[in-house]
Amino acid sequence: MRCTWMRKVSGSAGSADGYMKKTVLGRGKINTPSLDGSCKSEEDVCALGKETQEGAPDGSEWEALDAEWSAAIRYEYHVLYSSSYQTPVLYFRASALDGRPLSLEEMWDNVHPSYRRRLLHSPWDTITQQEHPCLGQPFFVLHPCRTWDFMSPILEAAQNECRKLNYIVSWLSVVGPMVGLEIPLSYATVASKPERTAAR
């Protein structure tokens, strides 16, 4: 994925609110409209693959099938602060290159495989869709209700090891991969150098 790193964007005029923004071009799965107007899902493709195995498609047919279901997706990530939960919150949206926004179901299909099991058991507890507080536009949101549960052990370990911790980078390294946001390792290594204690 190629991208520029996050930059701070101001909220509305006269407001102190703002957010950090990152735009990424990545690959993923999207439902493609067929000639009859319906959309083919990943399951349809798997079934199609099983049916055509007997017909022994050549390599070019499989490549075309792979290309159809591995589309370029434009991701836009925003980090805002939730005063209700007192934590950062990741807002994001995704669209095909033709500008069509991905549906919530398509976003679920593009969740990192390590997180899919949790998502299948409780999808509304993980990813939901709501209005962006600064823009007033629909965005997907990683719900912040469990942020303290997974961040407190990280904070405690850093304190026990006398290490500096960049909370935002640590938090993003946990939640970002779930929705395709990769954090460069160099950010973590610079942010977590051991603190030097003064000699007594």
Side-chain angles (χ1 to χ4, degrees), residues 153-200:
I154 296 170
L155 294 169
E156 186 178 313
Q159 185 177 16
N160 291 342
E161 297 172 10
C162 297
R163 292 179 102 41
K164 289 183 181 178
L165 181 75
N166 182 318
Y167 187 91
I168 295 291
V169 171
S170 299
W171 168 76
L172 276 173
S173 69
V174 173
V175 300
M178 181 177 190
V179 292
L181 177 58
E182 302 296 329
I183 308 299
L185 184 58
S186 60
Y187 279 70
T189 55
V190 170
S192 64
K193 288 185 178 175
E195 293 182 17
R196 294 186 181 170
T197 55
R200 293 183 187 193

Side-chain angles (χ1 to χ4, degrees), residues 141-153:
V141 180
L142 282 177
H143 203 277
C145 64
R146 297 217 188 341
T147 301
W148 178 250
D149 294 343
F150 64 78
M151 285 304 294
S152 57

Side-chain angles (χ1 to χ4, degrees), residues 78-143:
H78 294 191
V79 175
L80 289 87
Y81 181 76
S82 167
S83 53
S84 301
Y85 288 96
Q86 298 183 346
T87 63
V89 181
L90 184 60
Y91 284 76
F92 60 100
R93 59 183 168 186
S95 60
L97 291 183
D98 64 3
R100 182 186 66 81
L102 270 62
S103 68
L104 185 55
E105 291 75 20
E106 288 172 314
M107 286 307 305
W108 289 344
D109 287 343
N110 283 289
V111 168
H112 191 277
S114 299
Y115 296 96
R116 283 193 187 142
R117 181 178 298 162
R118 182 182 186 316
L119 183 62
L120 290 173
H121 292 298
S122 182
W124 296 110
D125 200 22
T126 309
I127 298 176
T128 189
Q129 197 169 25
Q130 68 184 44
E131 184 177 296
H132 191 292
C134 297
L135 302 177
Q137 299 171 355
F139 268 71
F140 299 108
V141 180
L142 282 177
H143 203 277

Side-chain angles (χ1 to χ4, degrees), residues 26-113:
R27 300 207 51 87
K29 293 177 271 184
I30 59 173
N31 292 333
T32 306
S34 63
L35 296 177
D36 64 2
S38 64
C39 287
K40 292 182 180 179
S41 67
E42 183 181 4
E43 291 78 22
D44 295 334
V45 174
C46 292
L48 176 63
K50 288 176 186 172
E51 290 171 9
T52 57
Q53 282 177 355
E54 284 114 25
D58 65 22
S60 62
E61 290 174 354
W62 283 115
E63 287 172 13
L65 190 61
D66 286 342
E68 179 182 353
W69 300 104
S70 183
I73 299 175
R74 181 182 176 273
Y75 291 95
E76 184 178 329
Y77 302 97
H78 294 191
V79 175
L80 289 87
Y81 181 76
S82 167
S83 53
S84 301
Y85 288 96
Q86 298 183 346
T87 63
V89 181
L90 184 60
Y91 284 76
F92 60 100
R93 59 183 168 186
S95 60
L97 291 183
D98 64 3
R100 182 186 66 81
L102 270 62
S103 68
L104 185 55
E105 291 75 20
E106 288 172 314
M107 286 307 305
W108 289 344
D109 287 343
N110 283 289
V111 168
H112 191 277

